[in-house]
């Protein structure tokens, strides 16, 4: 059936973050991470960076109110996830599974 990568997980932790116009770590490194979803539930765009400070206007864009980024088996990243809001204060809903 080809190369199929699957990481079963048994537990998850929901959290939230309120990134501002200054870089912050919204999901700390976790060697046990197998899956994560970060959803922008706020009114401003948010930019993500993996393992480095986030920069407004660069990186992974989560559009206001609907943008989301998923980490799964094929793009598994276990380091710090940084975020920055395009302006003001953003809102992220986060789920990490391990």
């Amino acid at each position: 059936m080809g190369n199929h990568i699957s990481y079963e997980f048994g537990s998850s932790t929901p959290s939230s973050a309120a990134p501002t116009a200054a870089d912050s770590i919204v999901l700390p490194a976790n060697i046990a991470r197998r899956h994560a979803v970060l959803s922008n539930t706020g009114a401003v765009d948010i930019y993500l960076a993996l393992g480095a400070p986030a920069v407004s206007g660069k990186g992974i864009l989560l559009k206001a109110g609907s943008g989301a980024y998923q980490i799964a088996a094929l793009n598994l990243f276990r380091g710090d996830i940084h975020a920055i809001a395009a302006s003001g204060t953003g809102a992220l809903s986060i789920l990490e599974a391990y």
Side-chain angles (χ1 to χ4, degrees):
M1 293 204 121
N3 292 336
H4 179 73
I5 299 172
S6 176
Y7 288 101
E8 182 178 332
F9 49 89
S11 187
S12 65
T13 303
S15 64
S16 62
T20 64
D23 169 69
S24 64
I25 295 173
V26 294
L27 192 59
N30 183 350
I31 193 68
R33 180 182 302 143
R34 293 183 177 212
H35 186 87
V37 178
L38 296 93
S39 300
N40 185 350
T41 58
V44 298
D45 291 348
I46 295 173
Y47 295 88
L48 301 179
L50 306 179
V55 177
S56 186
K58 299 182 179 180
I60 300 165
L61 170 61
L62 304 184
K63 292 298 286 179
S66 63
Y69 183 69
Q70 178 175 273
I71 295 171
L74 294 178
N75 69 338
L76 188 59
F77 179 77
R78 293 178 170 156
D80 291 333
I81 299 175
H82 295 246
I84 193 166
S87 63
T89 301
L92 284 175
S93 178
I94 303 167
L95 180 74
E96 180 179 42
Y98 37 86

